[in-house]
Amino acid sequence: MKKPFSLIPLLSAGALFISVLAHSQTLQDAVKLTNNEEFEKADKAFKALQLSQPTVGNIYFYRGENFYNWGKTDSAQNTYQKGININPLEPLNYVGLGKVQMTNGDNKSGMDNFYKAKTISKGKDPLVLSKMAEAYINIASKNSAIASDLLNQAVNVIKQAIALDAKNTTYHLDLGDVYLALNPTDGSKSIEEYNIAISLDPKSVNAMLRLGQLWKNARDYSTSYDYFLKATKIDSTFAPAYREQAEMLYEAGRYDEAIAAYKKYLQLNNSLTARGRYGSFLSVAKKYDDAITELQNVLSKDSSNIILYRRLAYSQYEKKDYKNGLANMNKFFAKSKGTIVKIIGSDYTYLGKLLWKNNQDSFAILTLNQAIPVINDLNSPDVTDIYHLIGQIYFQDQNYSMSVLFYKKRIQTNKQTANVNDYYYLGLAQYYNKQYPAADSSFAMITQSNPDLSIGYQWRARANSYMDSTQTSAKPYYEKYIQKIGNDTLKNKDGLIEAYLQLGYYYVLKKDKENASFYYKKALNLDPANLNAKAYFDSLKPRPMPKTPAKK
């Protein structure tokens, strides 16, 4: 089976998918809370376990995992390290610590700790091998430079885990994840492994969730919906299935159903983290007013979730609240320094737009230019949009030569997708920069591609009017403009008056009084007070003969 797949967000918050044969039901309950994305509740449960069983090393590991999936990597690292200090022979904490180190870019220390975990467990503990594989997959999704090597290592260690325990559903889910990460365009091997997991445990909500995610990313929304529905029927309290279902419904354009599904998610998990997710979802769904209210409420109670400042600022820009949008965008950048939060191209783009709307044009242009190498794809629509925006700012500032440069960049980056608007804005910048032949060429692209669009003829006429003092080259374009306008004189009154006056002037130069009068009269019909037309007709009136001086 081959279908176009995109890489699903592997090991996202709540995707622990653990296989715990722990010492007590209480630990299993705590882990289930993590798996259900109830990180605050889970942390309280793990904290209570640590107080009652302070020397049990794997409690620290699972609490560290809860922090990691919560986005609190510093707390995760401290918890893994504390677990190592308390019980140096518990291998899982070395895996957790190594994962954080590699997430932070310290690959050598991370790999050293993976080696320690494998050495302590003598390579015979399938759970340790599984957690190593999950760590490799997670880090690979964040670091493309070493992704291929890490994913191949993940295949190796998870196959070792399966060899030791072939009936563990989690290990087959992990192998399916690796296959999809290695080949995002072919999900057949992943589906095979996920189905093996279901055959081992028909009530595996995590397997149903994986298949739902996979088909969602393949844009087979009907199949995706079925799997999310199966997950909720198996366990009606499994919150991630409702969240994924909501995001799938949004992608499918079923917006009201998407909001309803997300509200169901919140009924099961009404934590600040969940509400922050909901606020971000509302922003993506373009429900900006609701998003702003939700995000502000969450941040007023817990300002530690840096990503929320991003979505709040984006939403405020879209609602034209530029002052507060800029303040929150600046907070996002300031709070991100020294953390694992990745600055993406749209962050610079929105910051640039907010600076522009706050009359900081020079900084806006610098910031927008910073977005381009971060996006790292010169053919991306995001980059061509930035070129257009910079061209727009320069045009507004009457720096027409720079405006021409960036409008040209937009077109040259991808000529196949250049449209009427692209050539219109380029032509305007060239026209006001007094590059009349170039402007005429740009407007000609409009008349050629859209011959029924009157504006192209109007601007060709204006450009040619400056290029030819006799108005001969402008004449046919003004005539074509009038023809395209037809009887719609009310909407295009000013343009028609201009055309009539210019054609009248052309005939004046030709000393053709009849045609000149014809067009000047048309101008007066639309604007009886028009000074140019009145002056023309005044010039036609016979001048009184000067009186002969009386003879003395």
Side-chain angles (χ1 to χ4, degrees):
M1 180 225 86
K2 290 202 173 187
K3 265 199 168 188
F5 290 91
S6 61
L7 183 60
I8 61 174
L10 298 166
L11 294 180
S12 59
L16 275 176
F17 307 117
I18 60 143
S19 176
V20 180
L21 296 176
H23 11 261
S24 73
Q25 182 64 37
T26 308
L27 178 59
Q28 290 175 337
D29 288 343
V31 171
K32 185 176 180 180
L33 289 169
T34 299
N35 197 36
N36 215 38
E37 302 175 356
E38 297 181 74
F39 304 118
E40 291 94 333
K41 288 183 180 178
D43 186 54
K44 290 178 181 178
F46 286 123
K47 189 174 181 180
L49 283 168
Q50 283 180 341
L51 290 172
S52 62
Q53 303 174 66
T55 61
V56 178
N58 66 352
I59 294 175
Y60 295 88
F61 170 74
Y62 287 114
R63 188 182 186 194
E65 293 290 89
N66 187 66
F67 280 128
Y68 189 89
N69 285 280
W70 196 355
K72 298 177 180 289
T73 51
D74 289 344
S75 297
Q77 182 170 357
N78 292 336
T79 305
Y80 296 135
Q81 186 61 63
K82 190 172 183 180
I84 291 170
N85 295 341
I86 287 173
N87 186 351
L89 296 179
E90 171 52 67
L92 287 174
N93 284 307
Y94 293 99
V95 176
L97 182 59
K99 177 171 65 175
V100 174
Q101 289 168 330
M102 293 189 75
T103 297
N104 292 334
D106 187 355
N107 296 331
K108 183 182 182 304
S109 296
M111 294 302 290
D112 286 347
N113 276 308
F114 289 157
Y115 178 77
K116 288 178 184 177
K118 199 169 182 181
T119 300
I120 291 169
S121 62
K122 300 179 181 180
K124 299 295 183 182
D125 187 334
L127 179 58
V128 173
L129 296 169
S130 168
K131 290 303 173 186
M132 287 177 62
E134 290 176 7
Y136 286 138
I137 297 166
N138 189 293
I139 298 159
S141 70
K142 296 179 173 69
N143 190 338
S144 58
I146 58 173
S148 180
D149 179 56
L150 291 178
L151 292 172
N152 285 319
Q153 291 187 62
V155 171
N156 182 38
V157 294
I158 199 59
K159 283 187 174 180
Q160 291 176 39
I162 291 172
L164 292 166
D165 185 359
K167 293 186 177 182
N168 189 295
T169 60
T170 299
Y171 306 157
H172 289 284
L173 293 177
D174 288 340
L175 184 56
D177 291 346
V178 183
Y179 284 145
L180 192 60
L182 280 167
N183 191 356
T185 61
D186 182 2
S188 54
K189 280 189 171 183
S190 299
I191 290 172
E192 183 179 343
E193 291 300 324
Y194 298 154
N195 283 332
I196 290 173
I198 290 172
S199 69
L200 292 169
D201 180 7
K203 293 186 177 182
S204 173
V205 289
N206 290 320
M208 300 298 176
L209 185 74
R210 291 295 219 291
L211 285 164
Q213 290 173 320
L214 185 149
W215 289 109
K216 179 188 77 171
N217 286 280
R219 297 187 179 180
D220 184 341
Y221 299 124
S222 178
T223 304
S224 173
Y225 183 84
D226 288 343
Y227 278 109
F228 293 139
L229 192 61
K230 286 179 183 178
T232 58
K233 284 184 176 179
I234 292 168
D235 181 358
S236 61
T237 67
F238 186 52
Y242 294 101
R243 177 178 53 76
E244 288 284 348
Q245 187 183 75
E247 291 169 6
M248 180 276 296
L249 288 166
Y250 170 75
E251 287 183 20
R254 295 159 63 178
Y255 305 119
D256 291 339
E257 292 176 80
I259 297 293
Y262 224 113
K263 286 181 177 177
K264 178 65 176 176
Y265 169 73
L266 291 176
Q267 288 174 13
L268 297 167
N269 181 4
N270 197 34
S271 64
L272 284 176
T273 302
R275 298 218 69 96
R277 280 177 177 269
Y278 180 53
S280 295
F281 172 77
L282 289 170
S283 176
V284 173
K286 300 182 180 180
K287 303 284 188 181
Y288 299 118
D289 287 322
D290 292 338
I292 290 168
T293 299
E294 193 70 55
L295 293 168
Q296 286 179 330
N297 181 55
V298 173
L299 287 168
S300 69
K301 297 172 182 175
D302 179 6
S303 60
S304 65
N305 191 336
I306 299 169
I307 299 297
L308 299 189
Y309 286 100
R310 166 193 283 159
R311 293 306 329 176
L312 178 57
Y314 286 13
S315 299
Q316 288 170 325
Y317 172 83
E318 298 297 342
K319 292 302 296 182
K320 297 181 171 52
D321 183 2
Y322 303 127
K323 181 180 178 181
N324 286 316
L326 179 58
N328 283 308
M329 205 69 227
N330 284 332
K331 282 182 184 178
F332 168 73
F333 272 89
K335 287 175 175 287
S336 296
K337 287 181 180 178
T339 72
I340 64 166
V341 173
K342 184 179 180 181
I343 303 297
I344 57 179
S346 60
D347 295 330
Y348 288 108
T349 303
Y350 268 96
L351 178 58
K353 291 192 290 187
L354 285 161
L355 286 164
W356 175 38
K357 293 298 185 179
N358 280 276
N359 301 314
Q360 299 180 45
D361 292 2
S362 297
F363 288 120
I365 291 168
L366 286 171
T367 305
L368 289 167
N369 275 306
Q370 283 181 287
I372 296 169
V374 176
I375 295 170
N376 196 29
D377 180 3
L378 291 179
N379 294 318
S380 163
D382 294 331
V383 170
T384 57
D385 285 349
I386 288 170
Y387 289 147
H388 176 81
L389 186 55
I390 294 175
Q392 190 177 358
I393 296 172
Y394 277 126
F395 187 90
Q396 178 184 280
D397 292 345
Q398 298 182 8
N399 188 340
Y400 300 121
S401 60
M402 290 302 293
S403 181
V404 168
L405 175 66
F406 278 92
Y407 283 139
K408 273 187 175 179
K409 275 189 175 187
R410 176 178 170 88
I411 291 173
Q412 291 167 352
T413 298
N414 198 340
K415 286 187 177 180
Q416 292 179 342
T417 61
N419 57 31
V420 168
N421 286 331
D422 295 324
Y423 286 106
Y424 172 71
Y425 286 114
L426 174 60
L428 279 185
Q430 291 166 328
Y431 178 86
Y432 285 105
N433 202 40
K434 300 181 180 180
Q435 298 172 253
Y436 301 119
D440 181 52
S441 297
S442 295
F443 295 128
M445 296 298 291
I446 299 175
T447 59
Q448 291 165 19
S449 61
N450 291 266
D452 292 329
L453 202 60
S454 62
I455 197 169
Y457 300 105
Q458 182 183 45
W459 280 98
R460 289 203 73 181
R462 289 171 175 172
N464 278 274
S465 181
Y466 277 101
M467 292 160 59
D468 179 7
S469 61
T470 71
Q471 303 303 303
T472 301
S473 61
K475 175 181 177 285
Y477 299 116
Y478 276 122
E479 290 173 334
K480 199 74 173 177
Y481 172 74
I482 293 169
Q483 178 190 336
K484 295 298 177 184
I485 293 302
N487 296 321
D488 192 3
T489 57
L490 185 62
K491 181 180 177 183
N492 299 282
K493 178 181 174 181
D494 290 342
L496 284 171
I497 292 171
E498 175 193 334
Y500 293 146
L501 292 174
Q502 289 297 117
L503 288 169
Y505 179 61
Y506 166 79
Y507 284 110
V508 167
L509 294 176
K510 291 291 184 182
K511 300 186 182 337
D512 184 339
K513 178 180 174 182
E514 182 180 353
N515 278 312
S517 297
F518 172 78
Y519 282 108
Y520 279 119
K521 187 174 181 181
K522 277 184 165 289
L524 277 177
N525 288 338
L526 291 177
D527 179 12
N530 188 273
L531 296 177
N532 288 322
K534 290 173 74 174
Y536 167 75
F537 285 110
D538 285 344
S539 74
L540 299 180
K541 294 176 181 178
R543 295 180 181 178
M545 293 293 292
K547 290 183 178 181
T548 304
K551 290 183 179 181
K552 295 183 177 179

